[in-house]
Amino acid sequence: MYYKQYGDTDMKVSAVGLGTMRYDEEDVKAGRLEKCAEIPLYAFEKGINYWDTAPAYCHDKSEIITGIALSQVKRSDVYVTSKVNLGTLNEDASRDNFRRRLETSLDRLKTDYIDFYHMWCMLNLESWEKHMELLYGFFEEAKSEGLIRNIVFSSHMQGNDIEKVVETGKFKGMLIGYNALNYRFRQSGIKAAHENGMGVVVMNPLGGGLIPQNPDDFSYLTRGTDLTVPQAALRFVASHKEITVALAGCTTKEHVDDAVKAVENLEERPAEEIAAMYEAEGLSFNNLCTGCSYCKGCPKEIPIPKMMDAYNQYILTGKKDAITSRIAYHWDIPKAKAAECIGCRKCERQCTQHLPIVERLAEIAALPDIEE
Ligand code: SF4
Ligand code: SF4
């Protein structure tokens, strides 16, 4: 396993970390939690010492499963995370409620402390400022008592907004979505964090599945290696000097093996060098929808992620009829829904990729229907 130093701490963390939101669905539903816990234990055997969990993952069982595994290893050999935000607290920002939530996570994880506690899922600066005002003091208090070791945040903000958060010096590290699709979008943020001595952990390294689903478009990532496209996409992220840990969501032991292989003999390079190297071979994909579904809540109930996924096909193939066939044959939804958009831009404010959804929907609406 390849290890990196986490920011300006003395912690050595594995270049790939375990994402614990993908424990086997059937096992979780059937209550076979001990069986699920074999995954973090196997990952540990393979040298993965960074385990990222949260309330709500896996029908709210992820922390429990992760705790079963954590109690079977020497506690100081693993770095474990969890997360909280106003949503998790049902908007009750009282100290008692924050403490109850934290204590629940500690109980479930069967531990006295959490190594990295996230101010979770800051979608924009406005939301982050509100969380700072209402919750940051509670984070500090818990840290001073040793219940959490490091205060970190997770975010879908774009690079220059991330820079603003980084500059406050209030966080030891951050968790962001970064991959071969959107790297340009967040590069200034990861550089700023790195320069400020923060650890940078990356989620969604496979672009919401879009990279493995389009192996031909991303085969350039594998050139000169014996890696599969998903392995190469993980390596793409892990090889950034500015990135400390790339999270791999693992359901099976094979997924763990894939993640381990992705960072064998890793060579670290600065982000700009990597971008230039890959752009000489491939394309820049910042403008693709990653299917994250943060744009939910459309007043007209337009299935935005599906529409934007269909638009992705156009970007990837250059053919407009790829949009209509994706809508009709893959998603089986009425294309006419696109025309119902009233342009309120609620979705765009929430979009993690900051896509021009309204314009794209108008383009989709104007396309000819597929002839029967
Ligand atoms: S801009 Fe259109 S698609 Fe977006 S939330 Fe409003 S109505 Fe829905
Ligand atoms: S449109 Fe934006 S927010 Fe919605 S799924 Fe795609 S990337 Fe995510």
Side-chain angles (χ1 to χ4, degrees), residues 50 54 82 95 119 129 132 171 217 234 256 273 290 302 325:
Y50 187 98
S82 194
R95 178 189 177 277
M119 189 177 277
E129 277 160 6
M132 287 303 284
F171 298 92
D217 291 296
L234 193 57
V256 175
E273 207 178 301
T290 63
I302 297 168
S325 58

Side-chain angles (χ1 to χ4, degrees), residues 298-300 302 304 341-347 358 361:
C298 167
K300 303 302 286 183
I302 297 168
I304 302 167
C341 173
I342 52 170
C344 68
R345 300 198 188 265
K346 179 172 187 262
C347 54
V358 176
L361 286 173

Side-chain angles (χ1 to χ4, degrees), residues 260-276:
V260 171
K261 183 168 169 63
V263 295
E264 263 172 16
N265 308 314
L266 192 69
E267 281 175 41
E268 292 184 58
R269 293 169 196 266
E272 276 166 7
E273 207 178 301
I274 293 176

